[in-house]
Amino acid sequence: MSAALYALRENKKVLILEKEAFGGQIATSPRLENYPSIKSLSGIEFSNNLFEQISDLGAEFELEEVQTIENKDDIFTVKTNYHTYETKKVIIATGVKHKHLGSINEDKFLGKGISYCATCDGPFYKDKNVVVIGDANSALQYAILLSAYCTKVHICTLFDRWFADEYLIKKINEISNITYEHNLSLISFNGNEKLTSLLFKNTITNEEKTIECDGCFVAIGQIPDNEKFSNLVELKNGFIITDQNMETKTSGLYAVGDCRDKDVRQVVTAISDGAIASVHIVKNIK
C-alpha cells in the first residue's frame, strides 16, 4: 500500500492484488509503538488509515492470489486464481508467513486450539488458560494482548533467555497472570476433538512435562513464500534479492518489504522500500 501511495500521487494507475487481508503482518499486530510520530496505535488502525488514504487516491483492489508472473517484450502477465492481468511494472510485496513448529498433531488442532495470530483469535479464549510458544517480540506482544482476555497466559521458550526488547520483558513481569518457563522443547499437541494439553521435554534435564491449556499461540517467526517467482527473481534463503532501487534481476520487477533479502524487517523499512520502488518506477516508466 505504501508503494501504491507514491505511484498514485504521480497519477499512475495502480492495482493491488491481495490474497488475504490488506495490511499484511502489521494489521495483526496488537500495538504499533516504534513508528516515528506515532506514539501508539493498533496495527489494524494503521492499516485501515493507509487503506483509506490510497482508496481516496484511486487505488484499485482485488482479493485474488497470484499464481505466476511472466515477462515478455517488457510486458508482465500476472495470473491469479481468477484473472489474468497485463502491466508494465510489478511490485512483489508478499511479506512472510507464520513458521510452524512441525510437532505432532500441529495440523490436527489448527483452528481447534492452535493459532498463529493472537489479535485474530485472542477474544475466543476469554477466561481460558492459554500457552504462548516463542521467545521474541511477537511472542511477548501476544502474551500481553492475551492477558487482557485470558485467566492465565504461560509462555514457553526453547532457549534459556529472551530475544525480545527490554521494555516488553519488563512489561510481562509486571502482569500478574503471565508466567513463563524456559528450556522447553515441544513434543506434541494433545487432545481429542480439540487441544487440551501440550507435551514438552526439558532441554536441560530431558524430563517430560505436560501443560494443560485451552489454547496455544505459536509465535516462532516467519518464513518467505517466493518460490512461485523463482523464474524471474534470484532468491537467498527464500528471500528475493534486489538492488538499492528494490529492482530484481528482471528489469521492471521489484520486491519490497519483508519478502526481500535485508537485515531490518520493520514497518518503517517496509514503507521505505515501497516508496523507493515507486519513485524509481515513476522515474523510468515509459
Side-chain angles (χ1 to χ4, degrees):
M1 289 196 287
S2 301
L5 174 63
Y6 276 78
L8 288 162
R9 286 174 58 85
E10 295 295 332
N11 296 316
K12 302 304 178 187
K13 187 176 181 180
V14 176
L15 170 65
I16 297 180
L17 300 173
E18 170 61 61
K19 73 173 183 177
E20 292 177 349
F22 296 104
Q25 285 185 81
I26 195 60
T28 65
S29 178
R31 306 302 298 172
L32 174 63
E33 297 179 331
N34 60 351
Y35 191 84
S37 83
I38 296 177
K39 185 175 181 180
S40 182
L41 188 71
S42 73
I44 190 63
E45 286 179 288
F46 182 80
S47 297
N48 285 344
N49 288 345
L50 185 51
F51 182 86
E52 182 179 345
Q53 185 178 13
I54 62 175
S55 295
D56 290 346
L57 289 171
E60 298 179 29
F61 305 91
E62 293 293 345
L63 283 170
E64 302 175 19
E65 181 176 0
V66 173
Q67 307 292 335
T68 61
I69 300 175
E70 298 174 0
N71 181 37
K72 184 178 180 181
D73 299 329
D74 295 326
I75 295 296
F76 290 94
T77 301
V78 181
K79 295 181 180 179
T80 75
N81 50 339
Y82 294 114
H83 299 101
T84 298
Y85 303 93
E86 289 189 345
T87 182
K88 291 182 178 181
K89 307 289 182 180
V90 173
I91 298 175
I92 299 171
T94 49
V96 288
K97 60 183 180 181
H98 294 291
K99 187 182 293 185
H100 290 206
L101 287 158
S103 300
I104 297 171
N105 294 327
E106 186 168 6
D107 292 338
K108 175 181 178 181
F109 293 113
L110 180 60
K112 299 177 181 178
I114 298 176
S115 173
Y116 301 88
C117 178
T119 309
C120 312
D121 301 326
F124 298 120
Y125 293 88
K126 182 177 174 59
D127 299 326
K128 303 289 186 180
N129 294 331
V130 300
V131 170
V132 174
I133 298 178
D135 50 28
N137 285 351
S138 293
L140 271 59
Q141 287 177 330
Y142 277 12
I144 293 166
L145 173 69
L146 291 165
S147 68
Y149 301 116
C150 304
T151 302
K152 180 181 179 181
V153 180
H154 189 63
I155 310 171
C156 297
T157 78
L158 179 61
F159 300 103
D160 62 353
R161 59 191 182 278
W162 300 111
F163 297 89
D165 293 337
E166 284 299 325
Y167 85 96
L168 289 173
I169 298 172
K170 181 181 178 181
K171 196 164 186 176
I172 65 165
N173 284 308
E174 295 172 347
I175 300 175
S176 61
N177 62 335
I178 295 180
T179 57
Y180 58 83
E181 194 168 351
H182 295 309
N183 302 311
L184 291 180
S185 176
L186 183 68
I187 298 174
S188 64
F189 295 96
N190 302 315
N192 292 317
E193 295 301 316
K194 61 180 182 179
L195 182 71
T196 57
S197 68
L198 308 175
L199 178 62
F200 289 94
K201 181 178 75 172
N202 187 292
T203 59
I204 305 299
T205 65
N206 288 323
E207 294 179 357
E208 292 187 354
K209 177 176 184 175
T210 296
I211 298 178
E212 295 184 356
C213 64
D214 300 297
C216 178
F217 292 83
V218 180
I220 58 170
Q222 297 86 27
I223 55 177
D225 186 21
N226 296 318
E227 289 298 326
K228 68 180 68 176
F229 311 123
S230 60
N231 59 315
L232 295 176
V233 304
E234 183 179 357
L235 300 176
K236 179 181 179 182
N237 298 323
F239 293 95
I240 300 172
I241 296 177
T242 71
D243 62 16
Q244 63 180 4
N245 296 314
M246 309 301 142
E247 195 166 18
T248 69
K249 71 174 187 179
T250 301
S251 178
L253 179 62
Y254 297 74
V256 302
D258 287 2
C259 71
R260 80 179 191 91
D261 180 51
K262 61 179 183 176
D263 291 330
V264 180
R265 292 185 171 86
Q266 293 288 314
V267 174
V268 69
T269 63
I271 286 175
S272 173
D273 289 354
I276 292 169
S278 277
V279 169
H280 192 255
I281 285 173
V282 169
K283 188 186 299 182
N284 294 281
I285 199 165
K286 298 176 182 179

